[in-house]
Amino acid sequence: MAKISINLATGSLQKEEIIVGIDLGTTNSLVAFINPDKEPKVINDAGKGVLVPSIVHFGAAGDITVGNEAKDFLITDPQNTIFSVKRLLGRSYKDIEKHKDFFSYKVIDDDSESLVKIKVGDTFYTPIELSGLILKELKERAEHALKTPVNRAVVTVPAYFNDSQRQATRDAGKLAGLDVLRIVNEPTAASLAYGIGLDPEETKTIAVYDLGGGTFDVSILQIQSGIFEVLATNGDTFLGGDDFDRAILDYWIEKNQLDRAVLLANHELSQELRLKAEEAKKSMSHQSIFNEKVGEIWCTLDKQTFESLILPKVNQTIDCCKNALADAKLSISDIDEVVMVGGSTRTALVKKMVSEFFGKPVHDDVNPDEVVALGAAIQADILAGNRKDILLLDVTPLSLGIETMGGLMDVIIPRNSKVPTKAGRQYTTSIDGQVNMKISVYQGERDLIKENRKLAEFDLKGIPAMPAGFPKVDINFLLNADGILKIQAIELRSGVKQEVEVKPTYGITDDQVEQMLMDSITHAKDDVAQRMLIEARTEGEQITYTVENFIKKHGTHLSVAEISDTQKYLVTLKEALTSGDKDLIHKAIDELNEFTRPFAERLMDHAVNTAMKGKSIEGAVD
Ligand code: AMP
């Protein structure tokens, strides 16, 4: 099937274009490529460094900085400095509520079921836009260093990322002007960097242990005929090298008999000590004693003490390895290779304990900060068709998906997915008592279905009348090896079911596929902007519907003033809905939610909450 590259600068199709590999990390991001000698190399643009801190700062004058320059603002301007945005990608507020104190910037908490937004000044940003800014910086650095336009990339994500987090990563790429050819699991990329899985004859089971600054995960992968299957993942998204630094800091506080509260209140000093603790930790990789002073505070550390301080944390990671093995229904002896990823795996005790646990030496020769990006570059090279020795699986050339509210395309099987494949997602209704649901299936890369190609349309009839948000409709796509797409819709509460089959490649030429791909790149920015506006509008319309319904049903429980104020907020929201300004809509939603939230709490009306839940397909058919 077709594999086409497009030069964004010239708008022409191109055969020999560099495809970069990007590790979009929680703390740091980096970009790599395959050099003319066929070796994967990380890009260090103009000596700015390989690692680009995944930090975005918004200046008062509207200026945006990304990376090291933005990092300095973490201390001087924390509200306007966004870090760790990857933790928010594709997440709802409910998902991250437990950790909200972690973020120094404002994460909007009005509607706990829909995707989070971040407020900077008067503007609302989605994690997709923020990640897009980081990817744009990486793209520009690559273009500057390689002196050529870079339009296509392979981007890595943690193996545990769900569908919505993967889609968010793709969208972020689009916003940055990058065609994300494939989303690759980080452990898969890391194994490719070690050459594991490159031989199609090879069958192996491997463990990838990834300990970064703030997160830990371990994945068990099975590699067969060049296909990487994730058997299990385990980890802790709030465990990493930062915990080692904190343990050292606590030790110094105790040793120097400092008052913890007084010290922590002194931001500058505690930050200096934290950095000193990190320095001491890193020095333990090559020396056994660290002895320095910060002002009057003795900062000493010996290797034995260091190891006893971090032992409980390292033990936690070993427990996760045990759990992952158990989930994969495997024992230690089934693991053929162990790959180390993440800066904190430089710690001697970590290497020793992981190696002892798995009973074999670990792969740690490749720089653990770079290994994922390097592997992504190798995957990019494979996709570019430059490694003829490697079996390239048949892929679907265009994305397949369905129409959701506002005429948006919701991709179920992304383009470049290997065939055969299956994927599904759950939807619900948007109107009380809706008994039919129209399902329209499309093919293409554009965000709006009207720009894509319609493949099929059918009605799922006979859904029992329930309040909006109650029905659970699973839509499953199954694309078989012959390119036949089977679409199945089933309402889980009632068992009502409907199935159709189509052949997506029927009646479409390679040239048309090329044209569709090219259009999607030319229109990427407008498309994403439109998608965001439509999503904001849909959210606004749903909330308007919910609040109006609420007043109709439960108005007697509210005071006259409360009702009239709610009406005012509703009018503001309705005006915003016609404005075409997504920030204005989000602001109006935010205010309406803020005002009405106590009503729902007062009444504990679950129906209201559930009506806000999930995605809904456009109105009833009848
Ligand atoms: P990552 O998130 O993969 O970039 O990992 C960053 C983490 O690795 C931070 O906590 C660093 O302090 C830690 N790190 C970097 N170098 C070393 C080292 N030599 N020994 C121990 N930890 C290190």
Side-chain angles (χ1 to χ4, degrees):
M1 291 186 201
K3 212 157 39 67
I4 304 114
S5 73
I6 299 144
N7 186 326
L8 250 197
T10 62
S12 64
L13 297 177
Q14 196 171 298
K15 294 281 172 270
E16 291 293 324
E17 195 199 342
I18 290 180
I19 309 177
V20 294
I22 294 181
D23 173 3
L24 180 62
T26 310
T27 324
N28 293 306
S29 297
L30 57 161
V31 50
F33 77 115
I34 302 289
N35 73 7
D37 294 331
K38 301 272 163 224
E39 293 156 347
K41 286 274 176 254
V42 288
I43 291 173
N44 184 352
D45 176 36
K48 286 187 204 160
V50 167
L51 299 181
V52 180
S54 307
I55 301 171
V56 182
H57 175 256
F58 294 89
D63 48 317
I64 298 173
T65 43
V66 177
N68 266 320
E69 285 163 50
K71 198 172 180 178
D72 300 337
F73 291 107
L74 278 179
I75 298 166
T76 56
D77 192 16
Q79 291 94 334
N80 298 316
T81 312
I82 316 299
F83 62 95
S84 274
V85 69
K86 187 175 176 182
R87 294 184 186 277
L88 304 176
L89 210 53
R91 296 304 195 101
S92 69
Y93 184 74
K94 208 168 124 196
D95 295 330
I96 56 126
E97 197 173 10
K98 214 170 73 191
H99 299 291
K100 66 174 188 300
D101 294 339
F102 173 86
F103 305 97
S104 53
Y105 44 87
K106 185 152 176 38
V107 180
I108 300 298
D109 61 349
D110 51 21
D111 176 3
S112 66
E113 300 287 351
S114 59
L115 296 182
V116 290
K117 290 181 279 279
I118 293 145
K119 194 171 174 188
V120 182
D122 277 336
T123 314
F124 291 82
Y125 292 95
T126 62
I128 299 176
E129 290 170 294
L130 297 164
S131 303
L133 291 171
I134 297 169
L135 288 173
K136 188 157 160 268
E137 173 75 21
L138 295 171
K139 171 180 148 83
E140 284 167 3
R141 286 193 186 198
E143 288 178 331
H144 190 250
L146 304 175
K147 300 188 175 48
T148 176
V150 170
N151 305 315
R152 305 193 298 164
V154 166
V155 182
T156 59
V157 296
Y160 56 79
F161 255 30
N162 65 24
D163 211 35
S164 129
Q165 292 168 301
R166 284 165 200 264
Q167 186 56 39
T169 307
R170 271 177 198 281
D171 285 348
K174 253 192 189 179
L175 275 185
L178 283 170
D179 180 8
V180 179
L181 288 188
R182 193 166 288 186
I183 297 283
V184 176
N185 287 328
E186 288 160 10
T188 302
S191 16
L192 286 175
Y194 279 102
I196 305 169
L198 286 178
D199 176 359
E201 304 292 303
E202 192 173 47
T203 299
K204 273 198 167 146
T205 308
I206 68 164
V208 181
Y209 177 101
D210 184 348
L211 187 62
T215 62
F216 167 67
D217 58 87
V218 55
S219 313
I220 310 288
L221 308 181
Q222 181 147 55
I223 309 166
Q224 212 164 12
S225 318
I227 299 173
F228 289 71
E229 190 186 351
V230 181
L231 298 182
T233 63
N234 208 288
D236 186 333
T237 48
F238 286 88
L239 170 65
D242 299 349
D243 293 296
F244 297 175
D245 305 345
R246 269 191 288 273
I248 297 170
L249 182 58
D250 285 346
Y251 168 70
W252 288 343
I253 290 177
E254 195 191 313
K255 273 275 164 191
N256 287 278
Q257 297 184 328
L258 303 174
D259 184 323
R260 215 188 141 74
V262 172
L263 174 74
L264 293 181
N266 183 342
H267 292 302
E268 216 162 295
L269 180 61
S270 55
Q271 175 68 1
E272 198 178 340
L273 281 171
R274 211 194 53 74
L275 290 175
K276 196 52 84 184
E278 185 177 10
E279 193 185 320
K281 170 185 77 174
K282 289 184 181 174
S283 79
M284 293 290 118
S285 310
H286 52 87
Q287 65 186 42
S288 49
I289 290 274
F290 182 87
N291 203 346
E292 283 195 25
K293 251 182 135 182
V294 169
E296 286 310 301
I297 303 167
W298 278 109
C299 300
T300 55
L301 187 68
D302 63 79
K303 195 158 182 178
Q304 203 182 351
T305 309
F306 171 59
E307 298 197 335
S308 68
L309 289 172
I310 64 169
L311 184 66
K313 295 288 169 194
V314 185
N315 269 329
Q316 272 184 38
T317 69
I318 299 294
D319 286 343
C320 293
C321 295
K322 286 182 194 157
N323 293 338
L325 273 179
D327 289 346
K329 299 192 175 47
L330 293 176
S331 57
I332 287 167
S333 59
D334 294 318
I335 302 297
D336 301 308
E337 316 268 357
V338 182
V339 171
M340 301 296 261
V341 182
S344 300
T345 59
R346 290 195 181 90
T347 314
L349 182 72
V350 170
K351 283 190 207 184
K352 180 165 161 271
M353 287 179 62
V354 175
S355 162
E356 274 173 12
F357 173 74
F358 285 104
K360 53 175 58 71
V362 295
H363 288 281
D364 62 353
D365 301 340
V366 181
N367 180 331
D369 291 320
E370 299 176 357
V371 63
V372 168
L374 293 171
I378 295 174
Q379 174 71 63
D381 202 39
I382 297 173
L383 286 177
N386 295 335
R387 296 184 175 227
K388 300 278 180 275
D389 47 325
I390 294 165
L391 174 86
L392 234 188
L393 295 152
D394 232 4
V395 294
T396 167
L398 291 170
S399 302
L400 299 163
I402 67 161
E403 175 181 3
T404 52
M405 295 273 285
L408 286 180
M409 169 91 170
D410 201 21
V411 172
I412 294 190
I413 297 183
R415 105 181 171 86
N416 270 330
S417 296
K418 63 176 195 286
V419 178
T421 183
K422 63 173 195 235
R425 203 168 291 172
Q426 198 168 84
Y427 298 87
T428 188
T429 52
S430 58
I431 295 170
D432 286 340
Q434 184 175 333
V435 292
N436 290 341
M437 196 185 251
K438 186 169 76 188
I439 292 154
S440 307
V441 183
Y442 284 83
Q443 174 183 45
E445 304 316 304
R446 304 289 296 274
D447 288 282
L448 300 178
I449 48 99
K450 69 174 166 46
E451 312 285 358
N452 288 334
R453 181 169 180 251
K454 193 174 198 169
L455 292 177
E457 182 174 295
F458 63 98
D459 294 338
L460 180 64
K461 290 190 177 158
I463 303 172
M466 286 181 252
F470 265 67
K472 288 184 181 171
V473 179
D474 262 1
I475 296 189
N476 295 308
F477 276 27
L478 201 137
L479 188 60
N480 74 14
D482 302 322
I484 308 278
L485 175 68
K486 187 188 271 186
I487 306 127
Q488 185 198 56
I490 174 162
E491 201 288 304
L492 298 178
R493 291 181 194 272
S494 59
V496 175
K497 198 163 131 180
Q498 180 75 38
E499 248 179 36
V500 295
E501 266 184 22
V502 280
K503 180 146 190 181
T505 47
Y506 183 74
I508 186 165
T509 63
D510 273 3
D511 283 350
Q512 283 168 318
V513 171
E514 284 185 19
Q515 191 56 48
M516 285 173 87
L517 291 177
M518 196 130 96
D519 285 349
S520 80
I521 297 291
T522 334
H523 298 285
K525 280 194 186 151
D526 290 346
D527 271 13
V528 178
Q530 280 215 52
R531 175 191 274 269
M532 284 178 176
L533 176 61
I534 291 174
E535 279 171 355
R537 258 191 210 142
T538 304
E539 191 182 334
E541 280 161 8
Q542 270 186 316
I543 287 167
T544 306
Y545 175 78
T546 308
V547 172
E548 282 177 344
N549 243 353
F550 184 87
I551 291 178
K552 242 185 259 162
K553 281 191 198 155
H554 307 289
T556 49
H557 297 273
L558 306 180
S559 71
V560 177
E562 278 172 338
I563 294 182
S564 93
D565 282 347
T566 308
Q567 300 291 7
K568 274 187 213 144
Y569 283 113
L570 278 169
V571 170
T572 311
L573 175 55
K574 285 179 184 170
E575 276 167 12
L577 286 175
T578 57
S579 72
D581 177 345
K582 79 167 168 56
D583 286 336
L584 206 61
I585 300 175
H586 283 310
K587 186 162 171 279
I589 293 174
D590 201 23
E591 286 167 357
L592 176 65
N593 269 323
E594 190 99 330
F595 186 73
T596 55
R597 188 188 306 145
F599 307 164
E601 280 164 14
R602 212 187 296 164
L603 277 144
M604 295 294 284
D605 190 314
H606 294 298
V608 170
N609 289 329
T610 32
M612 292 182 178
K613 244 187 230 161
K615 294 178 178 180
S616 353
I617 293 180
E618 185 88 279
V621 195
D622 289 339

